[in-house]
Amino acid sequence: MKPGTTDAPVVVYHDLQSWAAMLVLDLVALIALIVAHVFDVDLDVFGVFAYCILGSSAVIAVVGRRRIEMDPTGIRVYRRGRLRLQRPLSSFSRLKPLFAGTVAIIFDDGAWTWIPSVGEGTTILDFLSASRETEVIRGPTRGSNVLEMLVTALRFPAGTCVGCGREATTTVEFSASSGWDFVLVSWGVSRTLRAPACGSCRSRRKWLFRAAFTLPALAMLYVLPGPWSPAGQPDPLRTVAFIVAVSSFVVLVRWGDSLYDRWIFGLWGFALSRDTSRVRLRVRDPGLRHDIAGLARSPGTGVAAVDAEGTMYEL
């Protein structure tokens, strides 16, 4: 699909899919807060969620739900049924990651609107990426195992496990991010990318993930009070164990997935460009790297990605 054509359906995003579902959540949240107040029960984090649900509903009710439509002729933003923003597709400038997994759609004249990077928002992001003029994407200068391409062009060989090459019976998910994310705190956008895998490789990944947290768990267990650590007596080993537990946990949460995926699947280093339209990844197996590049057909062209060594894969 190229800009200016009319052979693509309208892509639509709504701020809220169903008012009925939202009202049910509001009712549940309201009942929970009333019961907690009457019986003096502390809801902790659930209370925060309840207030957030009620507050979000109130804001949407006051300002009105948005409907964003995109097709090859242009981009239109409606609120309360009225057209609030309209631009031709050619005026789309860039995507800018915001907080809490949202993205700003910025136009050449500075006008902008926002969408979440999940659900319907993902469809919008892919549409915008595919609407750009096609280009050959070159990988970074370091490492011959790097590929970089449009997110919408990334494909994996169907029916074959990316880890061992056997017949694929399921899928495995990889996360690509344009910012940073640590536990529940993040800034930027994350996209979930799926690849075919066999049950054995997927199971190995799951058990490796669990086993990796054994060290920090055991170290923290030693730190906790118990018969092996008499109270009131300084123990240098407990201090070392605490440092090991915390540092191991931080490393695993931040880089653990990349380490597991590199070992089991030979795929790692997934990263999004700042405007979230391109993805970069490392592929250990030369054959798989060649296959991915061969399948990475940019919209409207027969040219796939170019790897870090400058090899162009033409279909």
Side-chain angles (χ1 to χ4, degrees):
M1 191 267 296
K2 294 183 179 180
T5 63
T6 57
D7 57 351
V10 176
V11 180
V12 179
Y13 163 78
H14 299 86
D15 275 340
L16 182 62
Q17 286 277 16
S18 170
W19 259 119
M22 194 67 180
L23 291 175
V24 170
L25 288 176
D26 290 335
L27 181 60
V28 172
L30 185 60
I31 292 175
L33 291 174
I34 292 174
V35 171
H37 178 73
V38 171
F39 293 96
D40 194 22
V41 177
D42 188 2
L43 294 178
D44 293 327
V45 68
F46 296 104
V48 176
F49 288 154
Y51 281 114
C52 287
I53 291 173
L54 294 173
S56 300
S57 301
V59 170
I60 293 175
V62 170
V63 302
R65 289 189 296 170
R66 289 180 311 157
R67 173 187 171 90
I68 302 177
E69 294 180 354
M70 295 190 183
D71 61 27
T73 64
I75 302 171
R76 300 170 295 279
V77 181
Y78 297 87
R79 194 181 290 278
R80 295 188 183 280
R82 291 187 172 185
L83 183 63
R84 301 295 186 182
L85 178 66
Q86 182 174 15
R87 296 290 187 277
L89 193 61
S90 59
S91 70
F92 163 58
S93 174
R94 60 193 175 94
L95 295 171
K96 179 181 179 181
L98 300 176
F99 62 92
T102 57
V103 181
I105 302 173
I106 301 177
F107 302 98
D108 290 333
D109 60 359
W112 67 282
T113 188
W114 64 271
I115 57 171
S117 60
V118 295
E120 286 181 321
T122 299
T123 306
I124 294 288
L125 294 178
D126 288 345
F127 180 87
L128 290 173
S129 297
S131 69
R132 286 303 190 91
E133 292 293 335
T134 55
E135 58 179 330
V136 176
I137 306 298
R138 291 186 177 276
T141 56
R142 292 185 303 169
S144 60
N145 55 13
V146 178
L147 287 176
E148 184 174 350
M149 63 196 71
L150 294 172
V151 174
T152 52
L154 178 60
R155 302 289 185 275
F156 294 96
T160 303
C161 175
V162 293
C164 62
R166 295 196 292 259
E167 181 182 0
T169 56
T170 182
T171 59
V172 64
E173 295 183 349
F174 300 98
S175 178
S177 174
S178 64
W180 55 269
D181 147 27
F182 185 76
V183 191
L184 298 178
V185 181
S186 64
W187 183 273
V189 175
S190 293
R191 298 287 299 275
T192 298
L193 308 172
R194 293 178 176 82
C198 65
S200 176
C201 287
R202 182 171 178 174
S203 179
R204 285 175 58 203
R205 186 199 206 193
K206 179 179 69 176
W207 285 107
L208 179 62
F209 177 83
R210 294 177 178 177
F213 281 91
T214 302
L215 175 62
L218 292 177
M220 188 57 70
L221 183 63
Y222 181 76
V223 172
L224 297 175
W228 54 83
S229 55
Q233 296 185 15
D235 186 355
L237 289 179
R238 292 183 64 193
T239 302
V240 173
F242 178 78
I243 295 174
V244 169
V246 173
S247 58
S248 299
F249 178 79
V250 170
V251 169
L252 289 174
V253 169
R254 183 63 183 85
W255 296 285
D257 288 344
S258 183
L259 295 174
Y260 314 144
D261 295 338
R262 179 175 183 173
W263 184 20
I264 297 176
F265 298 104
L267 298 170
W268 76 101
F270 288 84
L272 295 176
S273 61
R274 183 169 177 78
D275 65 0
T276 74
S277 65
R278 300 187 300 276
V279 62
R280 183 181 62 195
L281 69 154
R282 292 182 179 273
V283 188
R284 181 174 56 205
D285 179 32
L288 179 60
R289 185 165 64 249
H290 183 277
D291 290 342
I292 292 174
L295 292 170
R297 182 189 294 270
S298 298
T301 76
V303 180
V306 176
D307 67 14
E309 293 180 326
T311 304
M312 181 180 294
Y313 300 91
E314 297 191 6
L315 304 180

